[in-house]
Amino acid sequence: MKILVLGGDGFCGWPTSLHLSQLGHDVVIVDNLSRRNIDNELETSSLTPISTMGVRLEAWKELTGKDIRFERLDVARDYDRLLALLENEQPDAIIHFAEQRAAPYSMRSSATKRYTVDNNTNATNNLLAAVVESGQDIHIVHLGTMGVYGYGTAGMKIPEGYLDVEVTTDEGERVSQSILYPTNPGSIYHMTKTLDQLLFAYYAKNDELRITDLHQGIVWGTNTPETELDERLINRFDYDGDYGTVLNRFLVQAAVGHPITVHGTGGQTRAFIHIRDTVKCIELALGSPPERGERVRILNQMTQTHRVRDLAELISSLTGAEVAYVTNPRKEDPENDLHARNDLFLDMGLNPTLLDEGLLLEVTDIAGRYRDRADLGKIPARSTWTRNQAPGVPEKTPTATD
Amino acid sequence: MKILVLGGDGFCGWPTSLHLSQLGHDVVIVDNLSRRNIDNELETSSLTPISTMGVRLEAWKELTGKDIRFERLDVARDYDRLLALLENEQPDAIIHFAEQRAAPYSMRSSATKRYTVDNNTNATNNLLAAVVESGQDIHIVHLGTMGVYGYGTAGMKIPEGYLDVEVTTDEGERVSQSILYPTNPGSIYHMTKTLDQLLFAYYAKNDELRITDLHQGIVWGTNTPETELDERLINRFDYDGDYGTVLNRFLVQAAVGHPITVHGTGGQTRAFIHIRDTVKCIELALGSPPERGERVRILNQMTQTHRVRDLAELISSLTGAEVAYVTNPRKEDPENDLHARNDLFLDMGLNPTLLDEGLLLEVTDIAGRYRDRADLGKIPARSTWTRNQAPGVPEKTPTATD
């Protein structure tokens, strides 16, 4: 298959691009390097020393003989170039990662709220409008988030995208309906993925586009078999308070000698997936597209749920790192249970990578290898959800720049 | 009250601004004149000769002694100026009309799809982010559309915003939930109002903004008591295929000697409201804001439903105009029933302006007075929903430019 990977320079996009190329697909990466530019803005960087796109693709060619091409293009802005790319490349599928993906960054300021809404909504709409205008029958695979559902239910497992409900008619009759699961996003970032859902539903209905929306859990781990081949292929590893996600953040904290910062009571339960399973799920989703005219195919791309404080205590026991319970910068329920279905991927043959001490220690090893690159002052989460929250800074924190 | 009217130069915004000023409120109109600029783009204009904003406000001052101020500002682009305006003016309420509001225009091309999504989503998000950043407790009143609901139900009347459903838990227990009514928009324009709903729900939850969302039916009529005071205050009257809405379009067709163009079988049933009731509803909504922390207050701003072919036949019988059944440029159900609640406004004391021969003929009179300004070639609806639809052009149509 000819596949475009929008956002193919990012944490999920890069290993996905390599995985699909390794499988023999013809991959074109489309990216505006926004993730690297936001690092510049935040004065931080990947803990791992990621190579430039030029070096990455040269190394991949050298090691595997396979070509991946790169188009530097802003999907949210450069509509005409995007359309021309579709017309020239005639892709079979497009993987859409081209969105700002950090909840804390999206809550940092009015400017980042506005950037996140503007970028994510226009990127998605531009892609959809361009596919319609091209007249091509391209399967679109989008990375959504489990966060569209919110983190509580009325007592059922979170289904995959659609919820069966009963409504009562004016005559008192009960009627069953299958509806998009009512959303309850916890940040501006998560909210943009609920907007994406409505865009997808509309274009699937009006234009019969074939769309798969993958509601992904929090990704942990950093390497896949392909990124491990050579240091020039190494994946990014975010450890700062805005882009470092919870499990990986704990692992890097343990590796660099920073307390493991748990927000509030750590009673939040979240869904997780290992980066190896992310790339496998995308492979599976590509192999199982919806038909034209079908509703959006929605799958939960997660394998396990964990309570945050349990993860902190586990990593503490494995590594000896101290756990610091800090103020929660987010506005969220202090405690929640979470049960979600992921039958669709299991039925397709996904063999989940479960939480495992060896895999956890592997991440800590990688983080430890690059610990000198870490700016400890960047670790605490400082973006607050409203003026009533405070940054999640431990009392006695190692301060490098802060 | 100090009230900002975003989009106060438009078809609903202008009479609303005058009505609120007449009631004694301190009104500031904020507009980027986009509606006049789109007329330039479409090479059409209001059937009625609307004055410039300068002349409008001078006439209002001369006739009533009341000042309305005007800020030319693009709410979707000029965030810093919008924020400064909130800080300087400290308004009690903001009415948000600042969105591209024509379904056919939103389906005209990729460019207009993209403009509609970009403008409407960023306008709403900028407003919300600015109110949060200002720290002020401002009541936001937004003009939504009945079109967010779609035009069919499972057999109950369309409720006002929220739907009571039952879900079955994993233990087999039925649990009641009140959810945002599952949306089913019929165009990119309507879809943007479903995105707005999710933005409002998020900011009401996270930031406790006080928001009222008015799901308005199709507006008919053109004058209110205030716009009738002087020709310099006349309201715009759109008759072109993109901006002319169904009932008003039939009335102008009758007035200028163009066949009344009914799309498909005319079996579509839609919700309607007279422009006089629009301005009254906004007055009522302003007087009944939600509390801080309350969910978004959603009201259906409509008074009657009518089937399109019945309206065509009624106007034909009143005026003698011919009815032409033409191809439907829209992708929609050919026939539907529609029943919707509007108890909230009735309970507040709205006395609905119902369909009435006198009021219909008054519109035709106004249209007839300015018939020489009409470009008949602009009347048929030519924006098609997909490549599979065709423009709604009658076989023997008077062609001026076409």
Side-chain angles (χ1 to χ4, degrees), chain A residues 122-123 131 153 195 209 216 232 373 392:
Chain A
N122 281 314
V131 171
T153 73
L195 306 185
L209 296 195
Q216 188 168 247
R232 290 170 294 169
R373 292 172 49 88

Side-chain angles (χ1 to χ4, degrees), chain A residues 79 110 114 118 122 126 133 157 166 170 174 184-185 187 191 199 202 205-206 331 385-387, chain B residues 79 110 114 118 122 126 133 157 166 170 174 184-185 187 191 202 205-206 331 385-387:
Chain A
Y79 178 80
S110 290
R114 296 176 55 235
D118 182 40
N122 281 314
N126 278 354
E133 188 168 355
K157 275 194 174 172
E166 286 190 335
D170 289 346
R174 283 171 195 268
N184 187 19
S187 74
M191 197 263 303
L199 283 155
Y202 180 72
K205 178 179 77 164
N206 192 68
K331 184 170 176 176
W385 260 233
T386 78
R387 288 170 194 183
Chain B
Y79 178 79
S110 291
R114 296 176 55 236
D118 182 38
N122 281 314
N126 278 354
E133 188 169 355
K157 274 194 174 172
E166 286 190 335
D170 289 345
R174 284 171 194 269
N184 187 19
S187 74
M191 197 263 304
Y202 181 72
K205 178 179 76 161
N206 191 68
K331 184 170 177 177
W385 260 232
T386 77
R387 289 172 194 182

Side-chain angles (χ1 to χ4, degrees), chain A residues 62-346:
Chain A
E62 179 189 314
L63 290 159
T64 66
K66 292 173 194 298
D67 273 312
I68 296 178
R69 282 169 295 141
F70 172 49
E71 287 281 338
R72 194 168 63 77
L73 179 160
D74 186 337
V75 178
R77 292 279 163 268
D78 304 330
Y79 178 80
D80 293 337
R81 289 183 55 213
L82 176 67
L83 178 63
L85 190 68
L86 299 193
E87 284 167 350
N88 293 334
E89 297 288 349
Q90 307 262 337
D92 301 289
I94 300 176
I95 324 286
H96 174 27
F97 291 104
E99 300 190 83
Q100 194 296 101
R101 65 108 177 132
Y105 183 77
S106 79
M107 301 306 287
R108 188 176 176 86
S109 68
S110 290
T112 63
K113 288 176 188 178
R114 296 176 55 235
Y115 168 72
T116 303
V117 169
D118 182 40
N119 179 75
N120 293 5
T121 308
N122 281 314
T124 297
N125 190 48
N126 278 354
L127 172 61
L128 294 165
V131 171
V132 171
E133 188 168 355
S134 79
Q136 296 171 47
D137 182 23
I138 302 169
H139 179 205
I140 296 169
V141 178
H142 171 256
L143 270 284
T145 169
M146 288 294 294
V148 299
Y149 300 119
Y151 301 115
T153 73
M156 66 289 181
K157 275 194 174 172
I158 292 177
E160 305 205 54
Y162 300 96
L163 178 66
D164 293 323
V165 300
E166 286 190 335
V167 295
T168 305
T169 68
D170 289 346
E171 283 71 43
E173 196 191 343
R174 283 171 195 268
V175 182
S176 292
Q177 303 256 290
S178 174
I179 63 171
L180 255 184
Y181 192 94
T183 58
N184 187 19
S187 74
I188 290 284
Y189 154 72
H190 293 99
M191 197 263 303
T192 64
K193 300 277 179 162
T194 73
L195 306 185
D196 286 338
Q197 283 203 127
L198 298 184
L199 283 155
F200 293 137
Y202 180 72
Y203 280 89
K205 178 179 77 164
N206 192 68
D207 302 286
E208 302 190 354
L209 296 195
R210 295 186 298 125
I211 301 166
T212 298
D213 201 2
L214 304 175
H215 288 330
Q216 188 168 247
I218 297 168
V219 183
W220 67 286
T222 174
N223 275 325
T224 61
E226 291 83 14
T227 65
E228 272 172 341
L229 285 175
D230 190 291
E231 201 183 21
R232 290 170 294 169
L233 300 177
I234 201 165
N235 198 17
R236 62 178 304 127
F237 190 126
D238 297 306
Y239 72 96
D240 65 285
D242 276 353
Y243 279 88
T245 49
V246 64
L247 180 47
N248 271 4
R249 182 161 48 88
F250 289 174
L251 292 165
V252 78
Q253 288 173 327
V256 304
H258 189 284
I260 296 177
T261 49
V262 175
H263 296 157
T265 64
Q268 309 91 337
T269 304
R270 294 291 180 269
F272 290 86
I273 186 167
H274 192 278
I275 185 77
R276 288 184 198 169
D277 289 350
T278 291
V279 304
K280 181 69 186 173
C281 283
I282 290 165
E283 175 194 341
L284 292 170
L286 280 170
S288 190
E291 301 285 325
R292 251 189 118 75
E294 208 177 290
R295 71 183 183 181
V296 178
R297 187 138 201 230
I298 302 176
L299 298 89
N300 292 344
Q301 186 161 307
M302 47 72 68
T303 56
Q304 288 184 296
T305 61
H306 303 287
R307 195 175 294 271
V308 167
R309 64 169 165 261
D310 297 341
L311 294 175
E313 298 297 342
L314 172 63
I315 294 161
S316 174
S317 72
L318 285 175
T319 62
E322 176 205 346
V323 176
Y325 287 86
V326 299
T327 314
N328 191 352
R330 303 186 181 212
K331 184 170 176 176
E332 63 185 357
D333 289 337
E335 307 264 333
N336 72 287
D337 290 320
L338 186 66
H339 305 284
R341 297 197 180 281
N342 64 341
D343 308 82
L344 295 174
F345 273 125
L346 296 179

